[in-house]
Amino acid sequence: MVSVINTVDTSHEDMIHDAQMDYYGTRLATCSSDRTVKIFDVRNGGQILVADLRGHEGPVWQVAWAHPMFGNILASCSYDRKVIIWKEENGAWDKMYEYTGHESSVNSVCWGPYEFGPILACGSSDGAISLLTLTGDQQWDVKKISNAHTIGCNAVSWAPAVVPGSLIDQPSGQKPNYVKRFVSGGCDNLVKLWKEEDGQWKEDQKLEAHSDWVRDVGWAPSIGLPTSTIASCSQDGRVFIWTCDDPAGNTWTAKLLHKFNDVVWHVSWSITGNILAVSGGDNKVTLWKESMDGQWACISDVSKGQGAVSTITDTQQNEQ
Amino acid sequence: ITAWSLNCFSRMKLKQINRTAIQSWSPAQHHPIYLATGTSAQQLDASFSTNASLELFELDLAEPSLDMKSCGSFSSTHRYHKLVWGPYEIDAEGHPSGVLIAGGENGDVILYDPAKIISGESDVIIAESDKHTGPVRALDVNPFQTNLVASGGNESEIYIWDMNNFNSPMTPGPKTQPLEDIGCVSWNRQVQHILASANPSGRASVWDLRKNDLIIKVSDHSNRMHCSGLAWNPEVATQLVLASEDDRMPVIQMWDLRFATSPLKILESHTRGVLSIAWSSADPELLLSCGKDSRILCWNPNTAEVLYELPTSSQWCFDIQWCPRNPEVLSAASFDGHIDIYSIMGGSSQAQSQRQADQVRVNLHRQQTEVNPLKKPPKWIRRPVGASFAFGGKLVSLENTNLNPQQPTSHVVHISQVVTETAFLKRSDQLQATLSAGSFVDFCQEKINAAENEFEKTIWSFLKANFESDVRSKYLELLGYNKEELALKQATCTHTYTLTELNRGCSTWGKMSRHEASIGSFSGVSGNGSTDVDGLITQALLTGDFEGAVELCLHDNRMADSIILAIAGGAELLEKTQKKYFMKTHSKITKLISAVVMKDWQDILKTCDLQNWKEALAAVMTYAQPEEFSPLCDLLGDRLEAAEDAQLQSQACLCYICAGNVEKLVSCWTKAQDGCCPLSLQDLVEKVVVLRRAVEQTQRSGPTAVGILLAEKMSHYANLLASQGSLSTAINYLPDNTNQVCNTATAWFTSLYFFCSLRVKHEALEHALCHICVYLHDSVNQYPSGAGGVPIYQPLQYFSSAAPPPPAEPSSPPHPPGFLSQYTQPIPSQLVYPGQPHANQCLPSHPSHSPFYPTSSSSFSAPPSSGVSFQHGGPGSPVSYMPLLPLSGISGTQLGHGPIREQPLQSIPAEKITKKPIPDEHLVLKTTFEGLIQKCLAVATDPQTKRKLDDAFKRLEALYDKLREQTLSPAIVGGLHNIARTIESRSYTEGLNIHTHIVSNSNFSETSAFMPVLKVVLTQANKLGV
């Protein structure tokens, strides 16, 4: 069910902390404690180094691709307290913007849905969350939520730009009434939901279930169903799935996906929002899927280090 | 205090407790986090009070205040030298908060129950013992067996207490000589039976409890080490550090027991004696120390460098500890009456930030240049793993593990394909294979064989009939009208002449009575009830057997009926009948007869009893004109679908299959199915694909437009395929008209389009992309930040790169056949069955309507055995076959309900109310482009292309609007004129090159509304060679 189709030797000189494919799955961005960000062209199973981005002065924690309609843009955040937005122009990658508004390590960056234009959320160990928006005159507008999480924010993730229940309720032709929302997780063991009201960011919900640092949060992509879903994972080894059915977004219920024996570092939803990849401190990745009766079941263990053990059929690999 | 350090101080300090006390954090397992404080022996405050207490404070980081909430206290008769908090029985009901162990002044070791202190109970002491001589300064809980506590007193006394059996402590071995006070004890963090102790004279001893003996002494023989601290390396079993309190030697020595002759490293930076050390269990590269020089240092003990100096007040700090649960939190107790809680990461409490806000402002410049407390981030924030999903069911995962320490760690990223719907993919592949091979009959037959229920079987049988000759009679047969069988029955009836015998004869065919009951369908028609003869006449009529019907009428003395029927049956029959016209009779099924003669089937279908829908459908099969056949089937299907009986509702599917109405089939099927699991979607798509192909082949209803519902289903299907990595198949199912999808466009969908545009030169996709671009453009423009009209977005690189001039078409690789194949591949216009003359060769008046309408010349050679009929279980013995007669003469009445065809939705840009004229100099653009489209339209043959061109024509309005508003940059306008010139000279490839150039050098928002459209036009023009 899970087969390695490409193994990219990044030649990073220290630990890799994040690897993200672009929108089309053609390029791979990686970042490392060696302070660099690298971009590889991985089309057709290849691994051509396209760019080696230097500019951070500390380990780089995360990278995030902007929607391609804004150009080829990558954001990175680092322990050096900086967020750098990189842009490719005429085949060359360069710094587009450097944000130095945080007082401590910036642990997470996440681009908002393209419907909102280029907007980046950044969560920092200083407890604040910054929202960077590219304005019409090519300036970056900064809004900051101070003390979002005491002693640090570890993760941010945007809500999809859908009005809950849009497939069902939305009268056609009417402009959708999107609300900008995102979720964050922090060292105060809390998962918090934020939403923009009259241009101001406000804490919308505070979800309590974890008993230790929340390491990552992931808002599931919407497939048009009225339910909002968020996954959160923690130092306490627990992964919770939060769901909200009510259109106002006020009532969230937590369901324990699993209690692992080790810290859970990362959660990631599949593009269709039905599979969750959970990465744990034991270096294991597990895939989870919700069954018809609403129970979450582990459908696969992804073992590391096996290399390309099996090839994929021509149909699946055919990328011409 | 410098401004810098004050600033820093404010940034790192989280909480403060105003006590001069020793402290212990709650164990890592405990939530929430508590800090226990105990009145320190050998310290008095200004009141000279000798009262002592034990207090618990909660570390609530969500609470912005600098104060810590006291959660319970206990007045004690003891003052304390040492506190440790262990997780003993923390999970059991006994001690939900573990056990707090205190070392007292007079040789006491006391076990407290923190849960009881919190709940305010009085009996907080679990057990106590005063076995030690002198004050108990050293305590440590075994990290592996949490019931074991080591304690150290005077005179080299070390006891190991088992909390399960507290009264009889053990010793680790014989007492060391000379007798000395024990200053520290510490369990090894890797090997559970190893214990170390140290005394102020500077020697450390390592004990092996399995041997019950001292195994090594650690000392540098300088006699200056005055041990105040001892800590094992959290990860390396053989390493420990010793701290010296002696001002003459204020160092921390790192020892490795494998080379215990001299220290491995000496950590020198304190200027006066070190009072306390703490090694972080979360990161072995972090060691805290505090000393009489009032400094708190954070070391990397492995390199002996000071990583960071915590800014402190001027007083000594005598006890420092890491919080076991929150790795970045540490506490320091100082002689100035405070316990301060810091974060090594530089977080701060809100109150503190506000308090220091002014200073921060003053020191703003300073802060800009400040560095993180720790240059290298602590281990606990260095994420070592992280698997993230990407487009197309790909999973990207990191690998940082180093299995072989001799080799440098390789840092690789794996890209994996995740497939979760294997059964679904397999069936999708089968469907693709069927499409490529065109083996629909086999496919349907397989489905019939594998069907899990009758209904499914029937549906597939109906679908299969589409690919067989003489479709209508096949349908009839499936509805239960087997001609051979009927012929036999009629024979019996007319030859026996008596009703009783007829009855007897009827009983020999099991299904007969069923058919007679079915006359009820025309009960409204035939008046009061029905007879057996009526039933037979009905059946004969339904199967077009005029001669038989006339025979039956005559036999039943229904002369008028027989004559009227005979007229419809042809001159010869009429003549025959007239001869037998010697008696008059009245028929009870006049209306049916009239319907047959008058061909007014709509009325019958509207009024018949739905329970007898089969008969109604059969009548339509037999009599309906080609052009009214589909609408009539639809009509019946609509009635069935509206019925309350769920059984009937689902039967509507069959009517829609007969009608070839894909969209209605989808809607009806969707209603009947609950859930939208991949396999049920596959079920639907299989049917849709087969039916579409059938409709294409038979040209029953011309090229079918894709309705909204079907588009949605197909998008979902494509999405599902894409999510499983089956991208090239997914492309085939993408609806070409993306307006329908845009309304519900989701990220995956647009990404799929973009993705496809990268990989496949697919005309339909380019067309689709136009729509998507316009859609995206519109939706983005809903959120312009700032009022300025300046475009903010950069050119869409991928889009431009995805749009190179198309290669000469003949050399382009063949596309896999699929959903879009109707305009990517020529469709064979005729069904090919060996040995079957094609029906439309005999029907010149309906050249495009294939095997539906049998002619008198068509022969029914060896009917393919479907193995399925709707009702007939038993085989009727084939006697004769009566060909269906073509209907002639009377033309059908105008249908009230005209054919309801789904119209493709086109989103036409809203007309502006008033429009400025296009500047004269640019009018040439409009005339050129429109002229080109007209030229293309004139030569384009297939409807898809025409539709595309029509659409392009409308969409170019966006360009003209921009020309009117004069908002386009000169470069783009110039480029457009260049394109217009290439059109004049008919060098479209050149035009496409210019197009690419414009797109890749312009703003997305500026050009997205029309450039893709223009490209479609140029491509088409090139292809059509106009």
Side-chain angles (χ1 to χ4, degrees):
Chain A
M1 292 223 290
V2 180
S3 36
V4 175
I5 54 174
N6 194 357
T7 294
V8 180
D9 184 354
T10 62
S11 300
H12 275 299
E13 288 159 20
D14 205 339
M15 189 184 275
I16 312 173
H17 299 295
D18 197 18
Q20 296 287 337
M21 294 251 245
D22 70 356
Y23 205 69
Y24 318 103
T26 57
R27 292 203 258 193
L28 175 76
T30 61
C31 60
S32 157
S33 269
D34 70 5
R35 305 178 173 199
T36 65
V37 172
K38 294 187 181 189
I39 297 171
F40 297 88
D41 184 334
V42 292
R43 268 180 292 187
N44 306 320
Q47 40 182 293
I48 303 154
L49 181 67
V50 175
D52 184 347
L53 307 178
R54 289 160 194 269
H56 281 296
E57 295 160 74
V60 190
W61 300 134
Q62 280 190 11
V63 283
W65 292 93
H67 191 281
M69 70 187 300
F70 308 124
N72 290 324
I73 295 176
L74 185 75
S76 61
C77 63
S78 160
Y79 186 67
D80 68 2
R81 307 184 294 164
K82 287 193 286 197
V83 173
I84 299 181
I85 296 168
W86 311 85
K87 180 164 187 184
E88 184 194 49
E89 252 163 324
N90 306 318
W93 285 88
D94 258 315
K95 249 186 231 183
M96 181 189 188
Y97 178 61
E98 186 171 297
Y99 174 64
T100 54
H102 282 290
E103 294 169 30
S104 189
S105 170
V106 185
N107 302 319
S108 182
V109 280
C110 183
W111 290 99
Y114 69 83
E115 287 90 339
F116 303 142
I119 179 166
L120 184 75
C122 324
S124 164
S125 284
D126 67 7
I129 296 169
S130 296
L131 292 132
L132 314 180
T133 311
L134 184 61
T135 62
D137 50 358
Q138 295 291 304
Q139 297 298 305
W140 288 89
D141 173 62
V142 179
K143 277 183 185 145
K144 198 162 168 185
I145 307 171
S146 298
N147 290 293
H149 292 276
T150 315
I151 76 162
C153 172
N154 293 326
V156 284
S157 174
W158 284 86
V162 287
V163 183
S166 57
L167 267 193
I168 294 161
D169 298 321
Q170 196 67 25
S172 56
Q174 195 172 314
K175 273 196 179 175
N177 183 25
Y178 297 133
V179 180
K180 287 183 194 151
R181 292 201 291 171
F182 69 88
V183 59
S184 63
C187 299
D188 52 6
N189 309 350
L190 294 173
V191 172
K192 288 187 176 181
L193 306 187
W194 307 86
K195 87 174 163 199
E196 195 187 46
E197 276 176 10
D198 310 321
Q200 295 301 309
W201 284 96
K202 289 181 180 152
E203 186 181 311
D204 187 35
Q205 292 281 312
K206 192 190 279 183
L207 309 180
E208 295 180 66
H210 289 292
S211 61
D212 209 332
W213 289 9
V214 177
R215 285 292 189 177
D216 199 11
V217 286
W219 202 310
S222 167
I223 48 164
L225 297 174
T227 309
S228 298
T229 307
I230 292 171
S232 65
C233 65
S234 161
Q235 187 74 20
D236 67 12
R238 290 183 179 89
V239 175
F240 281 103
I241 305 294
W242 304 85
T243 50
C244 174
D245 296 324
D246 89 281
N250 293 327
T251 324
W252 290 83
T253 45
K255 179 178 264 178
L256 181 66
L257 178 103
H258 190 64
K259 162 92 170 71
F260 294 85
N261 292 324
D262 207 333
V263 45
V264 183
W265 286 93
H266 184 50
V267 285
S268 170
W269 291 100
S270 66
I271 306 295
T272 42
N274 58 346
I275 302 170
L276 184 72
V278 177
S279 310
D282 52 5
N283 216 13
K284 256 195 164 174
V285 177
T286 48
L287 301 182
W288 298 78
K289 195 179 174 195
E290 191 178 17
S291 63
M292 285 298 184
D293 58 354
Q295 296 303 307
W296 287 88
C298 181
I299 55 168
S300 172
D301 280 325
V302 184
S303 306
K304 292 282 187 70
Q306 294 181 343
V309 286
S310 60
T311 50
I312 222 81
T313 68
D314 281 349
T315 329
Q316 286 157 339
Q317 183 101 66
N318 183 7
E319 292 180 344
Q320 287 308 302
Chain B
I1 305 169
T2 64
W4 174 79
S5 64
L6 217 162
N7 191 2
C8 231
F9 183 81
S10 76
R11 283 188 46 235
M12 299 195 62
K13 190 158 157 182
L14 300 171
K15 301 282 176 188
Q16 179 177 305
I17 302 171
N18 294 319
R19 298 281 186 284
T20 307
I22 57 163
Q23 42 164 356
S24 175
W25 289 100
S26 54
Q29 295 88 336
H30 196 266
H31 174 73
I33 297 170
Y34 288 115
L35 184 69
T37 64
T39 308
S40 174
Q42 296 190 326
Q43 285 169 18
L44 285 177
D45 62 16
S47 70
F48 291 92
S49 161
T50 52
N51 293 335
S53 68
L54 207 53
E55 273 184 282
L56 300 182
F57 296 90
E58 183 184 342
L59 179 69
D60 182 3
L61 293 170
E63 162 64 47
S65 141
L66 201 56
D67 302 319
M68 275 179 75
K69 193 171 69 180
S70 174
C71 295
S73 68
F74 167 73
S75 287
S76 164
T77 52
H78 302 277
R79 292 159 74 85
Y80 307 105
H81 280 278
K82 182 77 181 174
L83 275 182
V84 292
W85 192 334
Y88 172 63
E89 284 191 348
I90 198 163
D91 293 325
E93 287 184 9
H95 308 295
S97 292
V99 174
L100 187 60
I101 305 137
E105 276 176 300
N106 306 310
D108 316 290
V109 173
I110 312 157
L111 310 186
Y112 294 99
D113 187 338
K116 287 189 171 172
I117 298 176
I118 293 164
S119 62
E121 291 170 51
S122 53
D123 56 334
V124 299
I125 295 174
I126 300 166
E128 59 186 318
S129 166
D130 55 358
K131 204 170 168 71
H132 269 298
T133 310
V136 179
R137 291 191 182 85
L139 286 171
D140 195 29
V141 175
N142 187 301
F144 301 95
Q145 296 185 55
T146 56
N147 56 317
L148 298 181
V149 191
S151 67
N154 286 354
E155 298 182 3
S156 299
E157 271 177 13
I158 300 173
Y159 290 122
I160 314 292
W161 307 83
D162 182 350
M163 286 188 262
N164 295 325
N165 180 18
F166 189 69
N167 293 323
S168 46
M170 304 161 281
T171 58
K175 284 183 180 179
T176 51
Q177 297 293 336
L179 294 180
E180 284 179 292
D181 299 346
I182 302 293
C184 326
V185 287
S186 179
W187 294 97
N188 190 286
R189 303 287 133 175
Q190 298 291 319
V191 186
Q192 59 177 347
H193 53 88
I194 300 293
L195 177 78
S197 65
N199 48 44
S201 71
R203 269 189 293 276
S205 310
V206 179
W207 307 84
D208 185 339
L209 267 68
R210 283 200 307 205
K211 294 179 178 147
N212 206 26
D213 204 355
L214 178 73
I215 52 171
I216 195 167
K217 280 191 177 181
V218 179
S219 167
D220 69 347
H221 308 291
S222 69
N223 291 325
R224 286 195 191 162
M225 279 293 285
H226 187 86
C227 280
S228 56
L230 161 68
W232 286 100
N233 187 319
E235 286 183 357
V236 183
T238 55
Q239 291 184 354
L240 57 82
V241 290
L242 296 171
S244 168
E245 201 180 339
D246 194 317
D247 288 350
R248 293 167 300 168
M249 196 178 175
V251 299
I252 300 165
Q253 293 177 336
M254 175 141 147
W255 291 83
D256 193 315
L257 302 182
R258 290 170 293 190
F259 328 99
T261 48
S262 62
L264 198 65
K265 289 257 161 42
I266 297 177
L267 282 55
E268 292 172 295
S269 191
H270 281 290
T271 51
R272 296 186 63 195
V274 181
L275 293 171
S276 176
I277 53 170
W279 204 330
S280 167
S281 58
D283 186 348
E285 294 190 347
L286 297 176
L287 176 77
L288 291 169
S289 68
C290 56
K292 290 187 271 186
D293 54 2
S294 303
R295 300 166 75 197
I296 299 176
L297 302 179
C298 183
W299 305 81
N300 179 349
N302 301 310
T303 60
E305 61 178 324
V306 175
L307 300 175
Y308 184 61
E309 179 168 350
L310 270 84
T312 57
S313 58
S314 54
Q315 280 293 321
W316 297 359
C317 171
F318 62 89
D319 186 16
I320 193 154
Q321 292 190 24
W322 291 103
C323 171
R325 187 175 182 86
N326 192 332
E328 68 176 62
V329 172
L330 61 110
S331 61
S334 66
F335 285 123
D336 62 359
H338 295 298
I339 294 174
D340 293 318
I341 318 291
Y342 299 100
S343 162
I344 197 80
M345 292 297 292
S348 63
S349 79
Q350 199 167 14
Q352 191 68 17
S353 316
Q354 280 161 3
R355 205 175 295 175
Q356 301 294 336
D358 293 339
Q359 258 146 335
V360 170
R361 222 162 287 137
V362 170
N363 301 316
L364 202 60
H365 173 71
R366 193 75 213 212
Q367 195 170 357
Q368 294 293 313
T369 57
E370 199 182 309
V371 292
N372 266 321
L374 301 173
K375 259 190 196 138
K376 182 179 177 184
K379 190 182 174 187
W380 61 82
I381 69 166
R382 301 199 299 261
R383 189 172 90 179
V385 290
S388 301
F389 272 107
F391 177 69
K394 302 272 195 306
L395 185 72
V396 183
S397 52
L398 322 174
E399 187 179 317
N400 286 309
T401 47
N402 187 0
L403 301 172
N404 183 357
Q406 303 303 315
Q407 290 177 347
T409 311
S410 66
H411 302 283
V412 299
V413 172
H414 298 293
I415 302 169
S416 310
Q417 180 68 54
V418 177
V419 176
T420 52
E421 306 291 346
T422 40
F424 167 78
L425 275 191
K426 198 174 159 215
R427 283 180 55 185
S428 158
D429 286 349
Q430 281 166 359
L431 182 59
Q432 282 299 301
T434 303
L435 279 165
S436 319
S439 52
F440 292 99
V441 176
D442 294 344
F443 184 75
C444 294
Q445 188 57 51
E446 275 170 38
K447 291 283 163 194
I448 291 165
N449 297 343
E452 283 173 4
N453 55 51
E454 271 309 306
F455 181 63
E456 188 75 14
K457 213 176 213 180
T458 310
I459 285 208
W460 279 110
S461 304
F462 269 74
L463 285 169
K464 184 184 170 209
N466 278 304
F467 297 95
E468 292 170 326
S469 61
D470 197 4
V471 180
R472 282 213 206 179
S473 42
K474 263 282 167 306
Y475 281 153
L476 270 178
E477 209 170 293
L478 288 168
L479 285 168
Y481 295 90
N482 185 304
K483 292 198 176 98
E484 289 87 357
E485 212 172 304
L486 278 176
L488 195 60
K489 275 190 259 177
Q490 284 162 9
T492 314
C493 182
T494 44
H495 289 137
T496 51
Y497 283 84
T498 65
L499 212 58
T500 39
E501 280 185 33
L502 175 70
N503 282 340
R504 206 184 60 213
C506 286
S507 65
T508 57
W509 287 281
K511 298 291 170 187
M512 192 79 179
S513 53
R514 179 77 204 254
H515 280 277
E516 280 143 10
S518 71
I519 294 301
S521 65
F522 302 104
S523 59
V525 179
S526 57
N528 42 3
S530 60
T531 68
D532 294 328
V533 179
D534 283 349
L536 285 174
I537 294 171
T538 306
Q539 288 177 46
L541 288 175
L542 290 179
T543 51
D545 180 6
F546 285 92
E547 207 171 333
V550 167
E551 198 72 19
L552 285 163
C553 288
L554 286 174
H555 183 64
D556 201 29
N557 289 339
R558 302 180 185 185
M559 284 307 145
D561 291 349
S562 61
I563 287 168
I564 290 164
L565 277 174
I567 294 169
E572 197 189 327
L573 180 60
L574 181 61
E575 204 180 335
K576 242 160 111 186
T577 313
Q578 279 167 337
K579 279 179 193 165
K580 297 180 181 179
Y581 187 76
F582 54 86
M583 200 189 280
K584 251 187 167 187
T585 177
H586 289 284
S587 167
K588 290 169 183 170
I589 53 168
T590 326
K591 210 164 175 195
L592 173 60
I593 294 168
S594 108
V596 170
V597 177
M598 305 300 291
K599 302 179 170 41
D600 182 13
W601 292 102
Q602 212 180 354
D603 186 50
I604 290 271
L605 289 175
K606 275 189 196 161
T607 53
C608 71
D609 181 351
L610 281 178
Q611 291 300 335
N612 300 102
W613 63 274
K614 259 186 250 168
E615 285 71 26
L617 187 57
V620 171
M621 293 288 171
T622 309
Y623 292 108
Q625 297 280 4
E627 64 276 8
E628 61 179 10
F629 176 71
S630 282
L632 286 172
C633 291
D634 267 357
L635 181 65
L636 186 60
D638 289 344
R639 280 197 64 200
L640 284 170
E641 214 180 329
E644 283 183 9
D645 184 349
Q647 194 78 37
L648 285 179
Q649 283 175 14
S650 55
Q651 306 296 352
C653 290
L654 296 177
C655 296
Y656 295 141
I657 289 175
C658 294
N661 192 331
V662 178
E663 188 68 15
K664 283 194 174 173
L665 174 67
V666 172
S667 127
C668 181
W669 177 264
T670 312
K671 246 190 266 176
Q673 303 295 313
D674 37 73
C676 51
C677 73
L679 287 178
S680 101
L681 191 56
Q682 175 72 30
D683 278 343
L684 175 67
V685 169
E686 282 170 357
K687 293 180 181 74
V688 165
V689 166
V690 169
L691 183 58
R692 279 182 71 93
R693 183 53 66 92
V695 170
E696 282 166 22
Q697 290 189 346
T698 57
Q699 294 288 306
R700 234 180 306 176
S701 48
T704 46
V706 178
I708 292 175
L709 186 65
L710 178 56
E712 197 185 299
K713 289 283 164 197
M714 285 301 180
S715 321
H716 274 273
Y717 187 65
N719 168 36
L720 198 56
L721 284 168
S723 77
Q724 300 294 312
S726 192
L727 292 166
S728 46
T729 309
I731 293 165
N732 295 315
Y733 292 95
L734 284 175
D736 58 308
N737 189 340
T738 48
N739 286 314
Q740 296 156 356
V741 184
C742 281
N743 297 328
T744 58
T746 47
W748 61 261
F749 199 80
T750 44
S751 72
L752 189 51
Y753 271 104
F754 281 113
F755 177 85
C756 297
S757 71
L758 281 182
R759 284 163 168 72
V760 188
K761 290 184 187 69
H762 201 301
E763 257 182 78
L765 281 169
E766 301 213 342
H767 183 66
L769 270 171
C770 300
H771 295 259
I772 285 270
C773 288
V774 172
Y775 174 76
L776 290 179
H777 175 247
D778 290 348
S779 58
V780 165
N781 279 359
Q782 293 168 14
Y783 304 96
S785 31
V790 187
I792 48 176
Y793 307 120
Q794 296 308 301
L796 184 62
Q797 308 273 349
Y798 274 100
F799 185 69
S800 58
S801 65
E809 283 303 316
S811 64
S812 66
H815 298 295
F819 194 57
L820 297 172
S821 61
Q822 52 193 347
Y823 45 89
T824 58
Q825 278 197 324
I827 303 298
S829 62
Q830 297 187 351
L831 260 177
V832 184
Y833 284 109
Q836 289 286 330
H838 204 279
N840 66 14
Q841 293 165 345
C842 318
L843 247 182
S845 58
H846 299 288
S848 64
H849 287 235
S850 59
F852 268 99
Y853 309 104
T855 62
S856 50
S857 63
S858 74
S859 63
F860 199 85
S861 59
S865 62
S866 69
V868 176
S869 68
F870 206 81
Q871 289 200 336
H872 285 262
S877 47
V879 174
S880 68
Y881 167 63
M882 305 193 68
L884 296 176
L885 295 177
L887 297 162
S888 59
I890 316 151
S891 65
T893 48
Q894 279 301 105
L895 290 174
H897 292 252
I900 304 155
R901 296 256 66 90
E902 293 290 336
Q903 293 298 322
L905 286 187
Q906 300 286 348
S907 89
I908 298 154
E911 291 292 315
K912 298 223 167 110
I913 299 159
T914 51
K915 282 182 173 173
K916 292 184 204 162
I918 298 177
D920 288 344
E921 66 269 29
H922 300 320
L923 258 179
V924 63
L925 293 177
K926 183 173 182 189
T927 50
T928 310
F929 295 151
E930 291 190 343
L932 182 61
I933 295 174
Q934 298 293 4
K935 268 201 265 177
C936 289
L937 276 170
V939 295
T941 45
D942 83 288
Q944 284 295 339
T945 308
K946 285 191 170 173
R947 203 147 58 87
K948 237 189 283 186
L949 289 165
D950 277 338
D951 193 38
F953 194 89
K954 289 170 198 149
R955 286 185 178 276
L956 276 179
E957 196 61 31
L959 168 63
Y960 309 142
D961 284 346
K962 286 199 188 265
L963 291 172
R964 288 184 182 101
E965 304 295 327
Q966 302 193 314
T967 53
L968 289 174
S969 70
I972 292 174
V973 176
L976 289 170
H977 278 282
N978 286 338
I979 291 181
R981 269 192 288 279
T982 64
I983 291 172
E984 294 299 332
S985 60
R986 299 182 62 233
S987 40
Y988 305 117
T989 320
E990 173 76 3
L992 283 165
N993 285 335
I994 299 170
H995 181 280
T996 308
H997 183 76
I998 297 175
V999 171
S1000 53
N1001 288 290
S1002 61
N1003 268 327
F1004 172 78
S1005 63
E1006 205 177 352
T1007 59
S1008 62
F1010 57 88
M1011 285 309 272
V1013 188
L1014 203 50
K1015 183 172 173 185
V1016 170
V1017 176
L1018 286 169
T1019 312
Q1020 285 300 334
N1022 195 29
K1023 197 173 141 192
L1024 296 167
V1026 294

